[in-house]
Amino acid sequence: MGRNIRKRRSPLAVRAVAASAALAIGGGGLIWANFYASAHEENNSPNTTKAASAQVATISCPDVGQKLSDVPNQARTEVDGELATLDQQITDAYQRLATTRDAQARDASFVQNSVLGPLKDRRAAIIDRIQLEITRVGGTAPDSLDGLATCTGTTADQTQTNAGGGWNNNGGQNNGGASASAAPSASASQPAGNGGQQNGGQQAGNGGQAGNGPVAADFVDITKVQPNVAQKARTRAGGSSGTFTTLCGVNANKKFNTDNVIVAPGVTNGAHHLHDYVGNQSNDAFANNDTFAAAQTSCQNQGDKSSYYWPVVRIQNGTQDFDQNNDGGGKEGNVGAIQQVKQAQIKFVGNPKSKVVAMPKFLRIITGDAKTTTNGLANANAHWSCTGFENKVQLTTQYPICPQGSSVVRTFKFQSCWDGQNIDSANHRTHVAFADAQGNCANGFKAIPQLTMRLVYNVPAPTIQNGQVKNAYAVDGFPEQLHKPATDHDDFINVFDENTMNKVVSCINNGQRCK
């Protein structure tokens, strides 16, 4: 892949938020607490109070990227950039909601005319450009794209009456952007000052939460969960039972950024949340294959310059970390003390049914879905547990509350079947797939070493008091994804040299345990 010379993209709207803007949370996205504050300010008339309670609080937009399974290679860089612009537009729409509350209180049609309507027009323009980029190089854009421009709004009253925990039960929003029930915030019905960011991202009360989640229903005492871990498939004759472990540290180098070079190459803050990085030390929005190959690595085995990265975990305790006033950090609802991983085990394992073949260099894999609150759980691959419980309980839609002496564990098992041709795909999914329960790779896909990752954190156990979560921990995410546990995801770019990858394959196929 040649060097990306596309210009750095700038936000479509200025990220200026009034000093009094505070975040609270709701159904399909962020609620701005100023909606509630307007009903409590002095000199508010009854009519103004009534209008404030009916203001739009959340915005839900269809995920266009999920529909793009077949984009020609020549168009992918530009299409990825346009998809990143769609993400930025959603963030900007919330900024617009935050800074126009007085106008909303006076005019019931303001949000439709000045926020949702213009947002639809801007999205339609970007979708048109995506279609043009695809057709310009001889591809065919999906017919369904034209229907994905419209975003929907939910009022503050509607959000507050949603049943707590509903998101965990129904998988979120699966209707192309239509609002679905979601767990409301513990602070959703409180006036401003009890939950959010103020003065450029600094946190007010509500235990240090920004107001966009998580909520009490997102946590469960793991000791009260029935065992749910299925027995592993037995390795058959012809299978591959070996392992290869690579030691790459715990990001002691403090390498962070809010980019995602897989999904949004060339776009600063393309992830809208902060990533931890181990392995390759040159991963940012503008890195390419040459950059990766020439980089330093934190891995002990210098033949592994692969990039392993994942969203950080924070404790929402009122601590202001270094990015409190930054895009992707406090400005987008990712607040609290960043937690360093205490243990990071990166291991490649085999296939119970067959031998594995080498991964192609620069293969990209994303496991999980950062937008399950919008897309539903079809691509969710989050696994949360506690030390001492990992072989019994794995959670996708809830964070565990671990007993004393037990640590929180995030586990990832990546797709282990490869199409034999592509190092990436338009939606970053279809070039790789999961094997079935017996280890079979379907449709001509080949078994490759399966990347597994185990991240351990020593975080204090949250508590639930009066239906509210105290001392919450949460994974970073897009601002409208509510810090739901199911949005957890992990990214990998293979930069093993040929000799080291051959060793990985040999160890796994011969049943050895190698490092």
mmCIF file of all heavy atoms in Angstrom, residues 393-409:
data_model
loop_
_atom_site.group_PDB
_atom_site.id
_atom_site.type_symbol
_atom_site.label_atom_id
_atom_site.label_comp_id
_atom_site.label_asym_id
_atom_site.label_seq_id
_atom_site.Cartn_x
_atom_site.Cartn_y
_atom_site.Cartn_z
ATOM 1 N N VAL A 393 -17.783 -17.969 33.363
ATOM 2 C CA VAL A 393 -18.665 -16.878 32.940
ATOM 3 C C VAL A 393 -17.913 -15.925 32.017
ATOM 4 O O VAL A 393 -16.827 -15.448 32.361
ATOM 5 C CB VAL A 393 -19.200 -16.083 34.156
ATOM 6 C CG1 VAL A 393 -20.052 -14.904 33.692
ATOM 7 C CG2 VAL A 393 -19.991 -16.997 35.078
ATOM 8 N N GLN A 394 -18.517 -15.658 30.861
ATOM 9 C CA GLN A 394 -18.052 -14.616 29.948
ATOM 10 C C GLN A 394 -19.267 -13.758 29.601
ATOM 11 O O GLN A 394 -20.322 -14.290 29.233
ATOM 12 C CB GLN A 394 -17.443 -15.208 28.680
ATOM 13 C CG GLN A 394 -16.149 -15.976 28.910
ATOM 14 C CD GLN A 394 -14.973 -15.076 29.232
ATOM 15 O OE1 GLN A 394 -14.977 -13.890 28.899
ATOM 16 N NE2 GLN A 394 -13.952 -15.625 29.888
ATOM 17 N N LEU A 395 -19.115 -12.443 29.713
ATOM 18 C CA LEU A 395 -20.229 -11.514 29.522
ATOM 19 C C LEU A 395 -20.000 -10.654 28.291
ATOM 20 O O LEU A 395 -18.878 -10.231 28.019
ATOM 21 C CB LEU A 395 -20.377 -10.612 30.749
ATOM 22 C CG LEU A 395 -20.609 -11.308 32.093
ATOM 23 C CD1 LEU A 395 -20.468 -10.307 33.239
ATOM 24 C CD2 LEU A 395 -21.981 -11.955 32.127
ATOM 25 N N THR A 396 -21.070 -10.392 27.563
ATOM 26 C CA THR A 396 -20.999 -9.516 26.398
ATOM 27 C C THR A 396 -21.725 -8.199 26.643
ATOM 28 O O THR A 396 -21.216 -7.135 26.322
ATOM 29 C CB THR A 396 -21.593 -10.200 25.150
ATOM 30 O OG1 THR A 396 -20.802 -11.346 24.837
ATOM 31 C CG2 THR A 396 -21.605 -9.258 23.948
ATOM 32 N N THR A 397 -22.911 -8.238 27.233
ATOM 33 C CA THR A 397 -23.732 -7.034 27.372
ATOM 34 C C THR A 397 -23.706 -6.440 28.772
ATOM 35 O O THR A 397 -24.462 -5.517 29.070
ATOM 36 C CB THR A 397 -25.195 -7.340 26.998
ATOM 37 O OG1 THR A 397 -25.726 -8.335 27.870
ATOM 38 C CG2 THR A 397 -25.295 -7.805 25.553
ATOM 39 N N GLN A 398 -22.845 -6.933 29.642
ATOM 40 C CA GLN A 398 -22.693 -6.352 30.971
ATOM 41 C C GLN A 398 -21.237 -6.414 31.412
ATOM 42 O O GLN A 398 -20.493 -7.317 31.008
ATOM 43 C CB GLN A 398 -23.574 -7.078 31.996
ATOM 44 C CG GLN A 398 -25.064 -6.793 31.817
ATOM 45 C CD GLN A 398 -25.908 -7.553 32.817
ATOM 46 O OE1 GLN A 398 -25.895 -8.780 32.856
ATOM 47 N NE2 GLN A 398 -26.639 -6.815 33.645
ATOM 48 N N TYR A 399 -20.855 -5.412 32.228
ATOM 49 C CA TYR A 399 -19.548 -5.431 32.866
ATOM 50 C C TYR A 399 -19.647 -6.240 34.160
ATOM 51 O O TYR A 399 -20.638 -6.135 34.888
ATOM 52 C CB TYR A 399 -19.104 -4.017 33.232
ATOM 53 C CG TYR A 399 -18.856 -3.081 32.086
ATOM 54 C CD1 TYR A 399 -19.695 -1.990 31.868
ATOM 55 C CD2 TYR A 399 -17.763 -3.243 31.237
ATOM 56 C CE1 TYR A 399 -19.459 -1.089 30.833
ATOM 57 C CE2 TYR A 399 -17.515 -2.355 30.201
ATOM 58 C CZ TYR A 399 -18.366 -1.283 29.997
ATOM 59 O OH TYR A 399 -18.125 -0.391 28.979
ATOM 60 N N PRO A 400 -18.624 -7.007 34.495
ATOM 61 C CA PRO A 400 -18.683 -7.756 35.749
ATOM 62 C C PRO A 400 -18.279 -6.912 36.950
ATOM 63 O O PRO A 400 -17.376 -6.070 36.863
ATOM 64 C CB PRO A 400 -17.662 -8.876 35.525
ATOM 65 C CG PRO A 400 -16.644 -8.262 34.610
ATOM 66 C CD PRO A 400 -17.429 -7.332 33.699
ATOM 67 N N ILE A 401 -18.957 -7.119 38.050
ATOM 68 C CA ILE A 401 -18.494 -6.640 39.353
ATOM 69 C C ILE A 401 -17.802 -7.829 39.997
ATOM 70 O O ILE A 401 -18.440 -8.847 40.303
ATOM 71 C CB ILE A 401 -19.650 -6.137 40.220
ATOM 72 C CG1 ILE A 401 -20.348 -4.951 39.539
ATOM 73 C CG2 ILE A 401 -19.142 -5.731 41.603
ATOM 74 C CD1 ILE A 401 -21.570 -4.447 40.281
ATOM 75 N N CYS A 402 -16.486 -7.721 40.161
ATOM 76 C CA CYS A 402 -15.692 -8.853 40.630
ATOM 77 C C CYS A 402 -15.608 -8.867 42.157
ATOM 78 O O CYS A 402 -15.603 -7.804 42.784
ATOM 79 C CB CYS A 402 -14.284 -8.777 40.050
ATOM 80 S SG CYS A 402 -14.218 -8.761 38.241
ATOM 81 N N PRO A 403 -15.530 -10.050 42.763
ATOM 82 C CA PRO A 403 -15.385 -10.121 44.221
ATOM 83 C C PRO A 403 -14.002 -9.662 44.655
ATOM 84 O O PRO A 403 -13.077 -9.527 43.841
ATOM 85 C CB PRO A 403 -15.604 -11.606 44.517
ATOM 86 C CG PRO A 403 -15.207 -12.309 43.251
ATOM 87 C CD PRO A 403 -15.591 -11.379 42.133
ATOM 88 N N GLN A 404 -13.853 -9.408 45.916
ATOM 89 C CA GLN A 404 -12.573 -8.945 46.451
ATOM 90 C C GLN A 404 -11.471 -9.929 46.092
ATOM 91 O O GLN A 404 -11.632 -11.145 46.193
ATOM 92 C CB GLN A 404 -12.661 -8.783 47.968
ATOM 93 C CG GLN A 404 -11.418 -8.172 48.597
ATOM 94 C CD GLN A 404 -11.600 -7.893 50.087
ATOM 95 O OE1 GLN A 404 -12.647 -8.199 50.657
ATOM 96 N NE2 GLN A 404 -10.591 -7.303 50.714
ATOM 97 N N GLY A 405 -10.338 -9.405 45.646
ATOM 98 C CA GLY A 405 -9.206 -10.241 45.277
ATOM 99 C C GLY A 405 -9.223 -10.717 43.844
ATOM 100 O O GLY A 405 -8.274 -11.361 43.392
ATOM 101 N N SER A 406 -10.288 -10.393 43.098
ATOM 102 C CA SER A 406 -10.425 -10.803 41.701
ATOM 103 C C SER A 406 -10.317 -9.579 40.800
ATOM 104 O O SER A 406 -10.768 -8.488 41.170
ATOM 105 C CB SER A 406 -11.772 -11.501 41.487
ATOM 106 O OG SER A 406 -11.947 -11.870 40.135
ATOM 107 N N SER A 407 -9.721 -9.743 39.624
ATOM 108 C CA SER A 407 -9.497 -8.632 38.694
ATOM 109 C C SER A 407 -10.377 -8.758 37.459
ATOM 110 O O SER A 407 -10.765 -9.863 37.057
ATOM 111 C CB SER A 407 -8.028 -8.609 38.258
ATOM 112 O OG SER A 407 -7.170 -8.410 39.350
ATOM 113 N N VAL A 408 -10.670 -7.620 36.850
ATOM 114 C CA VAL A 408 -11.455 -7.594 35.617
ATOM 115 C C VAL A 408 -10.598 -8.105 34.448
ATOM 116 O O VAL A 408 -9.420 -7.757 34.333
ATOM 117 C CB VAL A 408 -11.951 -6.164 35.315
ATOM 118 C CG1 VAL A 408 -12.581 -6.074 33.929
ATOM 119 C CG2 VAL A 408 -12.944 -5.718 36.385
ATOM 120 N N VAL A 409 -11.207 -8.920 33.590
ATOM 121 C CA VAL A 409 -10.501 -9.491 32.441
ATOM 122 C C VAL A 409 -11.300 -9.236 31.167
ATOM 123 O O VAL A 409 -12.503 -9.525 31.108
ATOM 124 C CB VAL A 409 -10.285 -11.012 32.603
ATOM 125 C CG1 VAL A 409 -9.489 -11.556 31.409
ATOM 126 C CG2 VAL A 409 -9.572 -11.327 33.907
#
